[in-house]
Amino acid sequence: MTEGTMPQPHAAPTLSPAHVTAVLRILVLSTFVVLLNETIMVNAIPRLMHDFEVTATAAGWLSTAFMLTMAVVIPVTGWFLQRVSTRTAFGLAMALFLTGTALAAAAPSFPVLLAARVIQASGTAVMMPLLMTTLMTLVPAEDRGRVMGNVTLVISVAPALGPAVSGVLLQLGAWRLLFLAVLPIAGAMAVVGLRKLVNIGEPRVSPIDGLSVLMAALGFGALVYGLSGLGAGDAAQAPVPPLATTLAGAVLVGLFVWRQLSLQRSSAPLLDLRALTFRHFSVALALLCLTFMALMGAFILLPLYLQDVCGLTSLQTGLLLMPGGLTMGLLGPQVGKLYDRLGAPFLVVPGAAVTALCLALFALVGEQTSPWLVLALHVTLSAGMAFIFTPVFTSGLSVLPPRLYPHGSAILGSLQQVSAAAGTALIVSVMSGRATAAAAAGDASATGALAVGVRWGFGVGAVLGGLAAVVALLVRTPPAPQLPTGSGAKDEDGTIADETAGAPA
């Protein structure tokens, strides 16, 4: 590839509809299995603290390290997925995940278990962009809503079901069962996938900028690590203040962005930010970031509230939250079909409004609130989310030209991790601060003080949900991009794009 020449888009292979369905089903099920592990360790923390004699903060790193690794690896997947074949990417992702899962099941010490979680997350970070890129390449624009509805099951339901699945497994045996139960399922998916998958397009030989990789790893890693630390109860005792780490990460991410913009003028960037010049994609990205900020904080508060305020066990909490995850999964395909018929605005705006309203109602919970009311609110909240995720993912990625699918998926994945960490840090910090203030004032018992903090946390989530509802008003259903026949095509904002950048939306 000569200097200044952009790589050409992947050519989609000619596959029968049945073969396309089989390929996507394999990727969806495999991604579901690996994403389930992102939240599966939540209920196991007390047992791990006892078995390995570690603090709650140290045990919490089993989830933080998973999210941190995802944030570090995902920015590189835009380049990686264009550089290797589909089968190679799938094989590597599943090999890493299986290796990490087997190592975790046999871990003799806490550091080994932590390293195993990092290896697991490295494979998981490849699977989600691979699924999205394959879907956007193989599925015609008129069918993407329906197919993306099934993918919603992976994006939202798998992490939501993690605590419920772990609660059931922990009732049956030791924490190692969390990994032993997943291992044969993931192994079977890997074998079937390698037999059935076909390569989509030809890998492109493109250089990789080492400085960009370093900036991405340090920047996104420090940003997520710092944001996670801001919400921790022992933030003041940290060797490096979380705020300093967060600011350093933000600076490095800014330098990473500047580096990518510079590389776009002369060679292939690690992460092509020209995806952000498409207004539909940028609006979808903003909406998803705000939604994830609100929801991840809520997902952290709900188990805390149900167990420490309402007195439910971890198993009861998991079972109470399971219907919400199932609701999201069952609605996903139906919402996808409605998207193909009605478009994005008719679904996203009501969904965002319902989500914001449910978060506001959660801000009214207290010590006497019935768990059944919490169940009803959580199911309604999950339904609102189903009406957001499928249309926004579909409309956001559909406007991009094929060569930007891997980069668009990587941008979405990277900012999803940052938003989740930011939302968790903000909401947990507010919750902890208000609970401490209420306890110090002597106006409530320890349980009552925690309930006060939880209400404030949900209040912050409601504000974020309200902002998401405002952004939802900007969502539109874009037409499918058409590759221009000549150079000098304009993107949807009227700026001059390169010859493969896609048609105006």
Side-chain angles (χ1 to χ4, degrees), residues 22-31 90 189 192-193 196-197:
V23 168
L24 292 177
R25 182 177 291 121
I26 290 168
L27 290 177
V28 166
L29 292 176
S30 300
T31 307
F90 176 83
M189 294 309 306
V192 173
K196 299 291 186 179
L197 281 181

Side-chain angles (χ1 to χ4, degrees), residues 7 21 33 67 75 125-126 143 149 153 169 211 264 309 350 407-408 452 482:
T21 300
V33 172
M67 184 170 61
V126 176
D143 293 328
L153 180 72
L169 291 176
L211 183 58
Q264 284 173 184
V309 176
H407 296 279
V452 170
Q482 302 294 325

